[in-house]
Amino acid sequence: MRLSQLGELGLLAELERRGLILGVEHDAAQLGDGLVVTQDVLVEGIHFRLDWLTWRELGFRAAAVNLSDLAASGATPEALLVTFAAPASTSLADAIALYEGIAETGVAVVGGDTSSAADVVVGVTAVGRAERVPGRAGARPDDLLVVTGPLGAAGAAFRRGEYARPPLRLDEGRRLARHAHAMLDLSDGLAVDAAHLARRSDVRCVVDLDAVPLTGGATLDDLGFGEDFELLAAVEDADGFPVVGRVEDGEGVMLLHAGAPYDLHGYEHFSPVAQR
């Protein structure tokens, strides 16, 4: 069995079945006393191309995708640890620009590692604290599905040969975490991420694509690209956030456009075409 046959979720399920990982089901790990930790890695040629973005933008992006997981956990960031691997020919100016981009997030780097490598790899661990982490498993029938902002920016930018800068939704995450039954960030596409919530909560998510706010220039198909890093939450009270659907008894995800089912794919690591 190859990873291309299993996919990311299949790999995690197999590791969990063997007792090699524990409770890997939410955007971040909860370690007690409100401590929340998450980690993501960006690999050149898979997650980014340096002819499409600057080193500074790469640094901001590497930090922001982790802070998005903290936002989905209702957490306040406390620190970052950064692992940076790159060819030895990389200039000092480029390395400094990378860390300047990370510093733009306002969260301090307190540790990490560096290494030489054939390609650029940036791994970030983000540490924060949360009073309440909604997780993905608490959505209830009759909940509303809300998002924190317009979607489709990443897909639209990619079609232009660019990358959209990830938003930081930390304030919105803390606000929603006070009452949301479930919440996650939209990193793999609306359909895929809604399916994560539906599966963990044992419910069906019905999404009205015509109600989804779109970034200017984005199309419905751009919602399948992922990397919007807005938050999707299941709530009783929309609290001013855009309502894009509802939670029902059942399973899986139903996407509707003009009242009819709409097919929308998403992103999964280890797929033969999984690169951005």
Side-chain angles (χ1 to χ4, degrees), residues 37-101:
V37 180
T38 186
Q39 183 182 62
D40 273 295
V41 62
L42 301 187
V43 179
E44 185 177 8
I46 301 296
H47 301 96
F48 66 90
R49 294 173 45 169
L50 283 169
D51 57 338
W52 283 22
L53 84 176
T54 65
W55 282 86
R56 189 177 185 118
E57 280 299 307
L58 174 59
F60 180 89
R61 186 177 192 82
V65 300
N66 284 273
L67 295 176
S68 183
D69 286 335
L70 291 189
S73 304
T76 298
E78 292 193 350
L80 302 174
L81 292 90
V82 177
T83 294
F84 173 47
S89 59
T90 301
S91 73
L92 173 61
D94 287 340
I96 290 174
L98 176 87
Y99 279 83
E100 288 175 339

Side-chain angles (χ1 to χ4, degrees), residues 145 147 151 190-191 194 204-212 223 232 244-247 253-257 260 262 264:
L145 294 173
V147 294
L151 308 183
L190 181 58
R204 173 187 293 173
C205 291
V206 180
V207 178
D208 180 3
L209 295 176
D210 298 313
V212 175
L223 301 178
L232 174 69
V244 299
R246 63 188 185 275
V247 178
V253 174
M254 178 181 294
L255 304 175
L256 300 176
H257 171 48
Y262 190 88
L264 188 65

Side-chain angles (χ1 to χ4, degrees), residues 150-241:
L151 308 183
F158 191 81
R159 288 190 284 106
R160 299 191 300 267
E162 303 169 351
Y163 293 104
R165 173 175 269 219
L168 296 179
R169 297 298 187 217
L170 292 159
D171 290 341
E172 294 87 343
R174 286 189 290 267
R175 177 176 154 193
L176 281 166
R178 298 189 188 107
H179 62 90
H181 294 150
M183 183 162 63
L184 76 171
D185 79 330
L186 294 170
S187 56
D188 294 329
L190 181 58
V192 171
D193 289 318
H196 293 329
L197 190 151
R199 182 173 55 255
R200 290 295 181 182
S201 295
D202 195 24
V203 295
R204 173 187 293 173
C205 291
V206 180
V207 178
D208 180 3
L209 295 176
D210 298 313
V212 175
L214 293 177
T215 299
T219 68
L220 289 183
D221 287 340
D222 289 325
L223 301 178
F225 181 80
E227 297 198 347
D228 281 314
F229 299 109
E230 297 289 349
L231 306 179
L232 174 69
V235 297
E236 289 183 359
D237 178 5
D239 195 21
F241 291 103

